[in-house]
Amino acid sequence: MACSPVKTREQQLAHTRQRMGEHFTPNQLLGRTHTIGCVAVEITQKCNLDCTLCYLSEHSQAVRDIPIQEVFQRLDNILLHYGPGTSVQITGGDPTLRKHSELIDIVAYANKLGLHTALFTNGIEASRALLKKLAKAGLNDVAFHVDTTQERKGYDDERSLNAIREEYIARAKGLGLMVIFNTTVHNGNFAELPMLVDFFVRHADTVSFASLQLQAETGRGEWGARNDVVDPLTVKGAIESAINKSLPWEKVRIGHSDCHSYMPTLVSNNTVYSVVDDAALFAQFIEDFKHIQTTRQDGTWRIIADYTKALLAQPRWIGLLTKAACKKLFEMRSSLIRSAGKVHKLSFFVQNFMDANGLVKERVDACSFMVMTADGPVSMCQHNAQRDDYILKPLSYTNARGQVKQYEPLSERYKGERYNGENIIPITVLSGDSPTAMSKDTNESTQQTHFTGEKAL
């Protein structure tokens, strides 16, 4: 179902409710507090990794970056379709391979529009210096993709990759960014999931979001479809095995029930506690307070102020929420004592992407994870399945001088060619192949090589 641009917030929400259809359940956030889960803006197709489950196209490495004016236009279209506060993934390829001054300008422009920005990167070129500049420009979140699909030299399993994860945490710490880790769950690393979950729990003081993305056969990935060992139920079971307790999944819904499962938790003394236990209470809360459209982009104090005002207008909720909070505090009492009252938020997100040859129209229509293209928003799974249709399409754009220009994705050299290891970009060689190797905060390479290996989800 196409998404047409609309003007008012209520029109945007109404359109989302229509798209959700039967999945607009009482505990569904989309159509009430959110118009969409998130929208990706791919600012480059190039990457400096070669993941075995990559969603990019065989042509991606040869595709020129779209003009920055086209990126701005796509951000404008996100605002038009979904409104302020929309979560926007600045992604690719790996966005840090774009000229850094342009990357900073893109984040600043999105921030000016009131969009909530997250940088999605494999972290190789995401130096602390660059993250500082991006945070200053208004970046809200940084999502690091680290897992064994990347086949990083010297790191043979997920446990060894924790050294890289710790380095990335150190880079982002103290910059005011929410830290996210993306992990592709596949046949080869499924057994390590409990260890990974334990890692995220132990680092919940810095890591706020763990996204577990199930193996899918799409793009130029070479490993193909997953086997029956990996599915949403087994991944949830692995999370529960790690924390040694059951979790109340599906109390909060974001999008289609076959696509995503969202579990917000609290961590105290390395012990995990669910946030939403009563689905009926949660459903009534989001219904009664759906008029509050304050988002994270507005800041914590604005959110507190708006909800305080709303609670005073509906005082019965003060008692209901106080009762629920007291019950949760009692449940957490032992951990709170041991941690001296320290509590951290850690959300788990299980993403069940579709295979390219197995798209389900109902799921595509109700998608909560879109990609903004030159022709408008497209479901992420559909975009990955038909990527060349979008990234190889020439387009007209207006440059900074007001001149209409034509963008050609491929140079004459690569038109009609497939990705063959020669139509590649030079990348910076890091000094050593360890997680502590930091790249210079510049796009001018001091040492160049031809890319032969790694790409990131």
Side-chain angles (χ1 to χ4, degrees):
M1 182 184 296
C3 182
S4 301
V6 289
K7 294 182 179 180
T8 70
R9 182 71 171 177
E10 185 48 47
Q11 286 177 313
Q12 292 166 339
L13 290 166
H15 190 278
T16 299
R17 292 192 291 270
Q18 180 187 8
R19 285 201 309 112
M20 294 308 299
E22 65 181 26
H23 296 281
F24 184 66
T25 55
N27 62 339
Q28 176 65 248
L29 291 176
L30 297 192
R32 287 191 176 87
T33 59
H34 294 65
T35 57
I36 194 69
C38 62
V39 186
V41 176
E42 297 184 343
I43 68 171
T44 185
Q45 294 295 310
K46 298 178 179 66
C47 196
N48 49 1
L49 286 175
D50 191 16
C51 296
T52 50
L53 288 171
C54 183
Y55 58 68
L56 295 177
S57 159
E58 296 287 1
H59 289 100
S60 288
Q61 206 70 12
V63 172
R64 292 169 167 168
D65 292 349
I66 59 174
I68 194 169
Q69 290 80 12
E70 174 64 20
V71 176
F72 292 161
Q73 181 61 53
R74 294 185 188 188
L75 292 169
D76 288 339
N77 285 339
I78 291 175
L79 184 65
L80 187 62
H81 282 82
Y82 303 112
T86 298
S87 293
V88 175
Q89 296 184 0
I90 307 298
T91 182
D94 197 285
T96 60
L97 295 186
R98 181 132 189 171
K99 188 176 180 181
H100 285 179
S101 60
E102 290 190 346
L103 173 57
I104 293 166
D105 287 346
I106 289 166
V107 169
Y109 187 81
N111 183 61
K112 181 180 177 181
L113 294 179
L115 301 172
H116 188 99
T117 53
L119 180 75
F120 275 59
T121 175
N122 58 41
I124 292 173
E125 291 290 329
S127 67
R128 183 168 177 86
L130 176 60
L131 292 177
K132 279 184 178 179
K133 293 176 182 178
L134 291 170
K136 185 177 180 180
L139 186 70
N140 302 107
D141 311 332
V142 58
F144 295 113
H145 173 218
V146 181
D147 61 49
T148 48
T149 67
Q150 296 166 328
E151 297 187 323
R152 302 191 193 215
K153 189 179 298 184
Y155 300 92
D156 298 328
D157 55 24
E158 297 295 346
R159 186 177 296 279
S160 64
L161 285 168
N162 282 343
I164 291 180
R165 295 184 180 98
E166 288 175 345
E167 168 62 22
Y168 289 176
I169 288 171
R171 290 187 197 180
K173 196 167 186 176
L175 298 182
L177 300 172
M178 185 172 88
V179 176
I180 301 166
F181 275 96
N182 292 331
T183 305
T184 305
V185 181
H186 57 88
N187 301 337
N189 70 354
F190 177 79
E192 290 193 88
L193 269 189
M195 180 279 301
L196 267 179
V197 171
D198 179 68
F199 175 88
F200 296 137
V201 169
R202 286 187 290 105
H203 291 84
D205 60 327
T206 307
V207 179
S208 299
F209 202 97
S211 177
L212 304 175
Q213 305 174 355
L214 277 57
Q215 177 176 351
E217 187 171 14
T218 192
R220 67 188 184 191
E222 62 191 64
W223 280 359
R226 63 182 184 259
N227 61 28
D228 293 339
V229 171
V230 179
D231 67 27
L233 288 178
T234 60
V235 171
K236 294 173 191 175
I239 294 172
E240 293 176 341
S241 172
I243 65 174
N244 198 30
K245 68 170 61 173
S246 297
L247 291 171
W249 297 93
E250 316 311 327
K251 301 292 185 182
V252 181
R253 285 245 50 91
I254 301 178
H256 195 289
S257 57
D258 291 340
C259 297
H260 311 295
S261 291
Y262 173 59
M263 174 52 59
T265 72
L266 300 173
V267 178
S268 181
N269 192 43
N270 292 331
T271 305
V272 176
Y273 299 90
S274 59
V275 173
V276 179
D277 299 312
D278 188 333
L281 183 67
F282 176 76
Q284 191 59 57
F285 180 84
I286 61 175
E287 179 64 27
D288 287 355
F289 293 95
K290 64 183 180 183
H291 62 283
I292 300 178
Q293 295 301 318
T294 312
T295 68
R296 288 188 297 166
Q297 192 71 16
D298 297 306
T300 302
W301 291 110
R302 172 71 183 279
I303 292 172
I304 292 173
D306 286 357
Y307 273 98
T308 299
K309 181 179 178 180
L311 286 170
L312 292 174
Q314 300 189 64
R316 74 183 187 91
W317 273 105
I318 297 176
L320 290 171
L321 293 177
T322 299
K323 181 179 178 181
C326 289
K327 183 178 179 180
K328 184 59 61 176
L329 288 172
F330 183 78
E331 179 188 351
M332 298 173 63
R333 63 192 185 282
S334 178
S335 295
L336 289 171
I337 291 170
R338 289 187 173 91
S339 68
K342 293 180 181 178
V343 181
H344 308 289
K345 178 181 175 292
L346 174 63
S347 296
F348 295 101
F349 201 62
V350 178
Q351 301 203 64
N352 184 28
F353 290 117
M354 291 182 278
D355 293 337
N357 62 356
L359 298 183
V360 178
K361 185 178 185 301
E362 178 197 3
R363 290 174 65 180
V364 170
D365 288 347
C367 184
S368 64
F369 184 6
M370 310 293 277
V371 181
M372 184 56 72
T373 72
D375 299 320
V378 177
S379 160
M380 172 60 83
C381 288
Q382 179 180 336
H383 187 270
N384 288 343
Q386 302 166 351
R387 179 170 292 269
D388 278 351
D389 293 344
Y390 301 102
I391 68 171
L392 299 182
K393 184 177 179 179
L395 57 88
S396 297
Y397 69 98
T398 303
N399 66 15
R401 297 180 180 180
Q403 301 168 317
V404 176
K405 297 288 185 178
Q406 188 75 8
Y407 160 79
E408 289 288 344
L410 297 175
S411 67
E412 291 296 328
R413 175 183 175 188
Y414 300 127
K415 285 185 178 178
E417 292 186 16
R418 300 289 286 175
Y419 173 74
N420 60 14
E422 294 180 0
N423 51 355
I424 41 75
I425 60 167
I427 62 168
T428 303
V429 176
L430 300 184
S431 54
D433 198 355
S434 72
T436 57
M438 301 285 283
S439 61
K440 292 177 65 178
D441 188 29
T442 174
N443 280 75
E444 297 297 328
S445 299
T446 57
Q447 187 177 7
Q448 301 288 335
T449 184
H450 279 300
F451 168 67
T452 57
E454 308 178 357
K455 62 189 175 256
L457 283 176

